Amino acid sequence: MGKSVLQSESPPTPMDNIGAIEHTPNVTPPPAPIRQDQILRADGHNIGEPPSSSPDVPEQSVEAVKETPLPKLQLFILLYLQLAEPITSTVIYPFVNQLVRQTGVTGGDERKTGYFAGLVESCFYAVEAICVLQWGRASDRIGRKPVLLGGLLGLTLSMIGFGLSRQYWAVILSRCAEGALNGNIGVTKSMMAEITDHTNRARGFAFMPMIWSLGSTLGPVIGGIFAAPATRWPGFRGSTFWTTYPYFLPCIIVACISISAFLFALVGLKETLHRVPDGKAERNLPPLADTERVSRDLGITQQPHAQIVEEARPTPPEAIPAAAETKEEIKTEARADVQAVDAYMDDKPIGLRTILVPRVLYPILNYGFLALTDQSVIVLVPLMYSTSIDLGGLGFSSFTIGVIQGIGGFGSKRLYGCSFAMYFVVYALFPLLSFVVKREGKVGTAAWALVVLQWVAYVGTFMTWGCVFIYISDAAPNQKALGITNGLAQTTASTVRAIAPSFASSLFSATLERHLAAGMLVYWIISHLLSRRPPPTLSPFTQLIALRRMSQKTITVLDASELKDGEMKEVPFEDGKVLLSRLGDKIHATSAFCTHYGAPLVKGVLTADGRVVCPWHGACFNVCTGDIEDAPAPMALHSFKAEIVGGKINVTADPANTTSANKSRQPRLLATGSSVASAQGKGVVIVGGGSGAFNCIESLREHGYNGPITVLSKERYAPIDRYAISVYPPSPERLGLNVVDKRTKLSKALVTDPSKLEWRSLADLRSKYGVDFRSGVEVSGIDIASKEVVIGESQERVPYETLVLASGGVPRRLPIEGKDLANVLTLRGVEDAKKIDAAVKEGKRLVVIGSSFISMELVVAVTSRKLASIDVIGQEEFPFELVLGKEVGAGLKKFHESKGVKFHMQSKVDKIIPSESDPSQAGAVVVTSSTGQTTTLPADVVVMGVGVAPATEYLKGSKGFEQVVDKGGAVHVDEYLRVKGIDNVYAIGDIAMYPQPGTGEPRRIEHWNVAGNHGRAVGKSIAEGKGQPFVKVPVFWSAQGQQLRYCGVGAGYDDVIIDGNPEEMKFLAYYAKEGKIVAMASMQRDPAVMKGSELLRLGLMPSAAEIKAGKDILSVDLSSVNARPKVA
C-alpha cells in the first residue's frame, strides 16, 4: 500500500504549499501502475465509477503525517561541502584591493582599483556561470558524488595557485579556475532535495543560509586576519616566502578546508541519484505538493472531503476520459507541463527546454535578483571601506574589513528572518557613512555606530535565501531534473554575480572619478534597482511564518492545577524537557538543565524574585529571561513562551532547544566586539586571565559597557574552568567521551588540554567581546599616578581608565630542604596538570603534602591509576578538619583509606630527600609525627597542596599600594570590591580581602567560583557607573567520592550540627558561631546547601537552636507570593 494523498477544495495558496512542505511525506518505493479508478473526477468520484445518487461525499478521517527525521550524518557532510562556495568566493575580499594595487596594474592611481578588483571578483562568477549548468547536467547522468569530489579536489589546487600568484594575469587565471571548479555547488542543493522529503525539506534547506552565513564569516575573517602575516605575526617576520607571497596563508587555509571536505565526502557521503541494475533510472513517486500542482495543471478540479487516492500519480491528459475540449485546452495552455508530467512518468533526465516554464523560471529569476543585490553589497563594502577618507571611504585595513565582514556573517544566523527591504537600509547608509567620515575627518564613534547599523541591516536580509532554495527544488519536474534545475538556478545566480562586481565596482570608481551626484551616484542607482525587484513567490511575512512554524511547536505539557505557586516542575517536550516555574499567577518556561555541568534545575532552589539556583554548584539563572545571575554558569538558558489555555499549560518552543545537548544559549550582550570603537578611550584593563577576569568581561558586555577591554594574562591560554583540571571537565561531549562515562572516566583523569577547559576561546573573546587579550604577559607594576600598568622587563605601559586586579594566586611551597627538586610539583594550572599526569603512572609512589581540598581532589583523581602507594601528610587529626570539623573529616578519611590511601596526620614534613639514582629528583619525604616518631616515605612524585598565596608581587613596588596590601599579599577592598583609597581600581578573587556579607569580617576566599562572582559584580558596577555591594554568599564544592558541597564562611565556628552519617557519605552539617548558622556542608543531600546559601544571602537562615530542634531549611518558603516581601 502506498502513501495517501488528500485532495482539497481550492487551488493551493502559498501558505498551502508551506503546509505541504511541512507535513507531506515523499514516497520513494516504485509505484504500482496507475488505475483509472484511482483518479478523481471533477465531481469527486473515481474515474470509471458511476456517480453516487447522493451528491455528498462522505468525509474521510486523515491521520496526521509524521515528519521524517533528517539524515544527520549526510546532512552534516553536505552542509560542510556547501561551505566551499562562500569561503572561496569571499576570502579575497578583505585584501583583493591591496593585492590589485600591489600587482602594479593600477599604475598607482587608487581611484582605478575598483575596475581591476571588480574584474577579479567577477571572473570567478563568470566562469562559474559557464560551468555550473554543465556540472548539474553531468550530475543527473553520472551521479552527484563524483561531480562534487572532482570539483573539491580541483578547488583545493586552484586556491593554492591563487595564493602563489603575483602577476595580475595569474590572479585572473587562478580566480577563473576557482570559479570553474566551484561551479558544482548547485549539485549540493540537488542532493539536499534528495536526502529530504516534503515533510522535512524546509528544515533541511533552512540550514543552507546558515552555512552561507558561516562561510561568509570564515572567508573574510580568514582573509583579513591571515593576510600579510609577515607584517602582523611575529612568527612570520623575516621570512622571505611570506613577504613574497603575502596572501598565500589565507589561501592555503581555505585549501585545507576544501580538501577536508573532499575527504569527508569521499568516506561518508552517499550517492543520492539511484539507478537500477540495467542502467535505467529508478522511478520515484513525486511528492504531494508536486502531485497537487500537476493535477491542478491538468485541470482536475479538487473537491472538499475528497476520497483518499492510494499511490496517486499525475496522468497525461490522453489517459483521462474527459471532454475533448478539456483535453485540447490542456494541450494548448499547458503543453510544457504535460511534458513535465511525462517526465514524471518516465522519471529520467530531461532536457533544458523542458524546464523552461514559468513555474521553474519564476523562483530562478528571484534567485538571480537576490544574487545581484547581495553581491553588490559584498563588493561595495570592502571597496568603500578600504578607500581613503579623502575620496569618501573609511580607510580601513584588510584586518578590520575582514573582522567586520566576518561578524556580519555570524550575526545573520541569529537575525535570520528579516525582510528583503533591509537592503534599502544597507545602501542608504553608504552615502551617510561617507558624509559623516568626511565631516569628522576620521572614523569616529558616529561612523562606527553607522557601520554596526549597516551590518545589522545586512544580516537581516538572509531569510530570503532558504525559501528561494526550496522554491527552486520544489519546481523541479522530477528527481532526475533536480541537477539541471539547480544548475540553471546557479547559472543565473553566477551570471549575475559575475556582472555585479564589475558593475558595482566600476560604477563606484566612475562615481569617484567624475564626482557624480557628489560621489554618491552608485548607491542611488542600485537603490533604484532594488525598488524594481519583482515580488517573491511567497511574501517575506509568509516565509518568516514558515520558518518559525518549521522549528517551533506548541505542546500542552501540564494541567495548570498541578503547578502551585512557588513550585517548579520538569515536563517532557518531545525528546527534550522543559522547566516550568510558577511565580504567583505567572508561569515561566526555560531549559531544564544547568549550563555549567548539566544538573537538573528542577532539583534546585526557586526564589520569589525569579532566581533558580543549580543544586550542584550554585549557578543561578533568571527564570523569566534565562539570563545568568551568578557564576559558574558560562551560558544562559533558553526561555520559552508559556501560557494557560483552557486550564492547560501550553509551551511554545523549538524542540531542539529543550534537549540536554542544546540546553544553553549565548548570553545577551548589550555591547559586543563590533560595537567597540577603537578611539573611545583607555577603557578597562584587567590584570589576570582566570575566572574573575572572564566573568568580569562577560558582565561588562552583558550590562552594556562598550569601551575597550584589555586583559593582561600571565597564562598562555584563555580563562579556563580550573576545577575541571583535576576532576570534572565542563562537558563530556567536548572531551569526546560518552555522557554515560562521566563518573567512570572523567573523575579518573587529569585534564591537560586547555582548549577543553576554556570558558570562551581567545578568538571569541577578541572578536565577539572586543577584548584585547594579551596572553603570556607578566605585569611588573602599577603606576596609579599616571593610571598605567607596567609590563615586565620591557616596561611597556598600558593606560587604563578603570583597573581590575584579578591576578589570582600562586601555589605555596613549604620552606624545607628539597622543595625545588624536579619531581616536587604543585597543582594550579594546566601545565601543572600535565606534569602530574605524566609522572603519576601505574606502579609509582605518590606523596601528597597537605590534606585539604586541592590535595584530596588530586588523590581522588589518581586512585584508579594502580599506584604502588599514596601517602597523605596533614597537620590536623583529620583531613579537612579546619573547615569541616572532626566528624566530617573522619568520615572522609575512612572513605579514602578504603581506596588504599595512607594518612600521616598530626605530622610535619622535615625535608625531601633526593633520589640516590638521580639527585635532581626527590626519592623520599621525611615526616615527624606529634609523638616525635620519624618516618621516611619513599616517593617517585611529591605534590605540595598547601594552599595558595596572593599573586601580588607586582604591587609591592607600586607606589600607593603600601597601605592596602598586607604582609600576606592580600589586597584590602571595601564592600564594592574597590581597593581602599585608590580611585577606579578594583581587586577580585584570591587576592581580595573583602568584608563578608552580614558580618563585615574581612576574609580572603580561595576559590575560583568566588572570583567569578566577584568579576560579575565588578563588571556590572563599571558598566552601570554605580557601586554594587557584593552580597553573594561563597559557594564551593569538591569531588571526594561523592560531591561535597559547602556554602558560607565557617571560620571560627564554635558548634557543628550534623544530620546524617558522614561515614556513609550522606549528611548535612551546619556550622554555628555564637548561635547563628554561618556555613553548611553536605553530601547527597541536594539542594540543601544551595537553599542554605539563599537563606544566608537573605538573612533568613534559622538559628542554631531552631536547627537542633528539627527545623528543616527546605521547608522555609522563599518562592511563593507570600515570600516576596522577605526576598525582595
Side-chain angles (χ1 to χ4, degrees), residues 382-606:
L383 191 57
M384 189 267 189
Y385 284 11
S386 67
T387 300
S388 62
I389 293 176
D390 293 340
L391 293 177
L394 303 184
F396 283 163
S397 65
S398 297
F399 178 87
T400 304
I401 295 172
V403 171
I404 292 173
Q405 286 188 295
I407 291 171
F410 178 79
S412 64
K413 292 191 292 185
R414 290 174 296 160
L415 297 177
Y416 188 81
C418 292
S419 70
F420 182 90
M422 296 302 288
Y423 277 115
F424 286 100
V425 179
V426 174
Y427 282 102
L429 285 170
F430 278 120
L432 186 58
L433 262 171
S434 181
F435 171 76
V436 170
V437 173
K438 276 187 174 181
R439 185 186 63 180
E440 296 184 358
K442 64 177 183 178
V443 180
T445 303
W448 272 110
L450 292 176
V451 169
V452 171
L453 178 60
Q454 186 178 50
W455 280 96
V456 169
Y458 176 62
V459 301
T461 63
F462 277 67
M463 71 93 167
T464 51
W465 296 97
C467 293
V468 166
F469 296 153
I470 295 173
Y471 310 151
I472 293 169
S473 294
D474 201 45
N478 66 12
Q479 184 200 22
K480 298 304 188 297
L482 277 172
I484 192 170
T485 302
N486 279 297
L488 179 60
Q490 199 66 38
T491 297
T492 303
S494 297
T495 301
V496 172
R497 285 175 175 153
I499 297 170
S502 294
F503 166 72
S505 59
S506 297
L507 189 56
F508 179 86
S509 293
T511 300
L512 290 184
E513 279 189 312
R514 302 177 186 178
H515 201 62
L516 302 174
M520 306 299 170
L521 182 65
V522 57
Y523 311 122
W524 306 133
I525 290 177
I526 297 179
S527 296
H528 177 72
L529 286 176
L530 258 75
S531 66
R532 310 304 298 174
R533 177 185 63 87
T537 303
L538 298 180
S539 69
F541 180 70
T542 304
Q543 296 172 36
L544 182 59
I545 291 175
L547 290 172
R548 286 180 174 174
R549 287 183 175 179
M550 174 192 69
S551 61
Q552 290 196 338
K553 294 187 177 181
T554 299
I555 297 177
T556 299
V557 295
L558 195 69
D559 284 334
S561 60
E562 295 182 48
L563 187 65
K564 308 299 183 184
D565 177 28
E567 283 187 345
M568 295 186 294
K569 282 188 182 293
E570 184 184 87
V571 295
F573 196 96
E574 290 203 343
D575 295 331
K577 295 179 179 179
V578 168
L579 178 71
L580 297 179
S581 306
R582 186 161 196 161
L583 300 173
D585 58 353
K586 293 185 179 180
I587 295 176
H588 305 280
T590 64
S591 309
F593 307 98
C594 179
T595 63
H596 183 217
Y597 285 0
L601 292 175
V602 70
K603 296 182 179 180
V605 178
L606 178 66

Side-chain angles (χ1 to χ4, degrees), residues 980-1101:
K980 292 182 177 180
I982 303 178
D983 294 336
N984 301 315
V985 179
Y986 295 82
I988 62 176
D990 290 354
I991 69 172
M993 183 75 74
Y994 70 100
Q996 297 303 303
T999 67
E1001 178 186 7
R1003 181 70 56 181
R1004 189 172 66 86
I1005 308 294
E1006 297 174 1
H1007 195 278
W1008 62 268
N1009 192 44
V1010 174
N1013 281 311
H1014 280 178
R1016 291 194 64 82
V1018 167
K1020 184 177 181 181
S1021 294
I1022 297 171
E1024 296 184 348
K1026 58 183 178 180
Q1028 304 287 332
F1030 184 74
V1031 297
K1032 174 69 178 175
V1033 174
V1035 173
F1036 56 90
W1037 57 92
S1038 180
Q1040 299 297 325
Q1042 294 291 339
Q1043 282 290 308
L1044 172 70
R1045 315 205 192 281
Y1046 186 96
C1047 73
V1049 179
Y1053 64 86
D1054 52 33
D1055 191 12
V1056 182
I1057 306 166
I1058 296 180
D1059 176 11
N1061 187 351
E1063 290 190 358
E1064 296 176 358
M1065 311 285 278
K1066 189 174 184 179
F1067 66 89
L1068 179 58
Y1070 298 88
Y1071 300 89
K1073 186 176 182 180
E1074 298 177 356
K1076 294 182 178 180
I1077 303 299
V1078 293
M1080 290 176 59
S1082 76
M1083 276 186 162
Q1084 301 189 76
R1085 293 289 295 272
D1086 295 336
V1089 164
M1090 302 312 153
K1091 181 67 173 279
S1093 71
E1094 290 297 287
L1095 291 170
L1096 288 170
R1097 175 179 71 90
L1098 298 168
L1100 300 176
M1101 174 65 76

Side-chain angles (χ1 to χ4, degrees), residues 284-308:
N284 290 320
L285 184 66
L288 172 64
D290 296 326
T291 304
E292 291 178 343
R293 169 174 49 74
V294 175
S295 297
R296 183 174 71 254
D297 292 341
L298 292 175
I300 301 175
T301 305
Q302 300 167 344
Q303 298 292 336
H305 312 302
Q307 294 178 338
I308 297 175

Side-chain angles (χ1 to χ4, degrees), residues 846-869:
L846 171 65
V847 174
V848 178
I849 301 174
S851 61
S852 195
F853 291 97
I854 190 67
S855 300
M856 300 314 300
E857 285 170 2
L858 172 63
V859 169
V860 170
V862 300
T863 49
S864 63
R865 295 195 175 196
K866 299 181 181 179
L867 301 181
S869 62

